[in-house]
Amino acid sequence: MSALLNPAQREAIRYLDGPLLVLAGAGSGKTRVITQKIAYLIGECGFNPANIAAITFTNKAAREMQERVGQLLGSRPVGLTLSTFHALGVRILREEAKALGYKPQFSIFDATDCYGMLADLSGSVDKATIRRLQGQISNWKNALISPDEASKTAVDDMGKLAAQAYAGYAATLRAYQAVDFDDLIALPVDLFRQHPEVLDKWQNRLRYLLIDEYQDTNACQYQLLRLLAGPRAAFTAVGDDDQAIYGWRGADVENLRGLPRDYPNLKLIKLEQNYRSTARILKAANVLIGHNAKLFDKKLWSDLGQGDPISVTACRDNEKEAEQVAMKLQAHRFEHRARFSDYAILYRGNFQARALEQQLRDQRVPYLLSGGQSFFDKTEIKDITAYLRLMSNTDDDPAFIRAVTTPRRGVGGSTLEALGKYAGERHLSLFAAAGEVGFAQRVQPRQLTPLSEFRHFISSLIQRAANDSAGDVIADLLAAIGYESWLYGEEERRVAQTRWENVLELKDWLTRKGDEEKKSLLELTQMIALINMLDKQEDGSRPDAVQLSTLHAAKGLEFKHVFLIGVEEGVLPHRESLDPVKLEEERRLMYVGITRAQRSLHISYAEKRKQGRELIPCEPSRFINEMGKEDLRFSGGKADAVPDKATGAARLEAMRAMLAGK
């Protein structure tokens, strides 16, 4: 065990006498505790790695833990489960599919697939309505509310529409032998409740559980953990009630409160030493979060020195704020000989990034925007690649459904339901099932004809893709399905044009790659799948660029220097989050922003914010006063003289000259 561990960390690692809650403040070394405990269980306690599961929320966190455990033990332990909740759910469902009436190779639908299904079921073309339905159904699933229960509780028209759509949605997914993202947790809970023998098997397999970011669990995840832990209750839950910021997506901080109730012998260990931030930053964070009602009392401290005071700058408007932040960042970087990647600019909502991006581009500051959409994640690109995926693997059921319905080819929902049911009974892919005589006997000729034509179309493309040039095949594919005209029929003209240009870019890329690398379209399809996976992997490598991110996306990250912008009433806290419960979550969000900073923290707000063509007066956020004023240094504001344009331009030019080393 590492000599670098503090007493609280060491106690948390060695405690095995019952359930344990580790209350881990920001920057207190929670990942170190989890990985060291895994190494301790295997190396010193003789646990079989196959009997241990560490569960987290992101693939990145799981990979980091995997690497650290491998380093501690000298090699990656065989059989150890280090995964996200959803990956564990997939593993359970694949292995136990038969008990739930699914084939092992069931399909997992993404949000886009589910959106299209709900659009059909609701009969709505309004995107906002469909997204509301999608969100409501997700919330019901995460709260373990069945379609029958949802219909009983629905009171208004929207609730009744959602409940009706939920029932149809669940039935359709089942018929397709498919699940959605929420089902990956909800279905294992159903499985364990309905089949005690299966639960017993998994309780004996996973004999020690470690759960990361416990405060972010929802009702469904909590039940899954309770079931897996069983009467043995051999687990370590690591969490922080002060960083519970995902209530809007179903996370319930009350799960922390529930632990002492459900496990009376629960041991509580607090990690309060912070290894990230200076004393001033932590003091401001502690004072701020002290305004929330506390589940557990804790105070972060650091021995990294006092550090610089926290700057608070009032700006004339949000455009001036963006300009000042960009210039201040450049000057700070020059003074401290820092890298661009040492800096992060954090904000409440993505809309705040626009003015920033413009200023950073103008001042030639490289930046990365968190949460940007990959080219291959665009709807139109996924539409076309669904055909390519199906050509590459006819067992790819989600690709089959997307291709046969986009654009529509005369195959309706009832036909697909019948096909899904037949495929499930025969343990076949949808493509294979559609070609069987047994299925043909179950449907009308008018239903079978378009399916048969689609199978023939895909089969001919497969044959051509192996021999003809990629450019020729993709061009003929686009012409055959009439995607361009379908787009212009579905979307407003400007949107359709943009989306079609993206499709043409894909076609040109496939043509060029095929010609340059002498690859067939099928080989290029495999390349796309790999690129898409790598895009989403977050391998930890970062170019030298300023990170722009929402506060929600920044959780778990740290930066030497942080600019926290738009700290105004109505923005942070958000204008729709002013009731006491939501306000506490907004305060926790501010706390998360503050505790991302290691060495310096710069807060700013606009006195006026542009909305449309108007400038709306703004007030500084209440959270600034709640931080205490002792370590804050204020500048800007109404008292400052507004420089004329010539003076402002001269200052900017002088700054650029300084940064260029002139």
Side-chain angles (χ1 to χ4, degrees), residues 110 112 371-383 385 402 502 528 531-533 535-536:
D110 64 17
T112 309
Q373 190 184 38
S374 156
F375 177 75
F376 291 105
D377 268 342
K378 295 182 185 293
T379 300
E380 59 275 17
I381 304 303
K382 290 177 78 171
D383 286 345
T385 54
R402 189 164 192 146
N502 288 334
I528 290 172
I531 291 170
N532 212 12
M533 282 193 300
D535 273 353
K536 295 174 181 178

Side-chain angles (χ1 to χ4, degrees), residues 506-540:
L506 173 69
K507 178 175 86 69
D508 293 345
W509 182 82
L510 288 167
T511 303
R512 189 172 65 254
K513 280 286 181 185
D515 293 343
E516 289 173 358
E517 301 183 17
K518 306 299 180 197
K519 289 185 183 292
S520 71
L521 188 57
L522 296 183
E523 290 172 316
L524 291 171
T525 302
Q526 292 165 353
M527 186 190 291
I528 290 172
L530 184 60
I531 291 170
N532 212 12
M533 282 193 300
L534 292 174
D535 273 353
K536 295 174 181 178
Q537 270 187 358
E538 305 171 300
D539 61 4

Side-chain angles (χ1 to χ4, degrees), residues 19 53-54 61 86 117 298 334 355 399 423 584 599 601-602 643 662:
H86 293 91
M117 196 186 302
K298 76 172 187 311
F334 183 82
E584 288 202 346
R599 297 183 187 174
L601 176 63
H602 311 268
K662 294 178 181 177

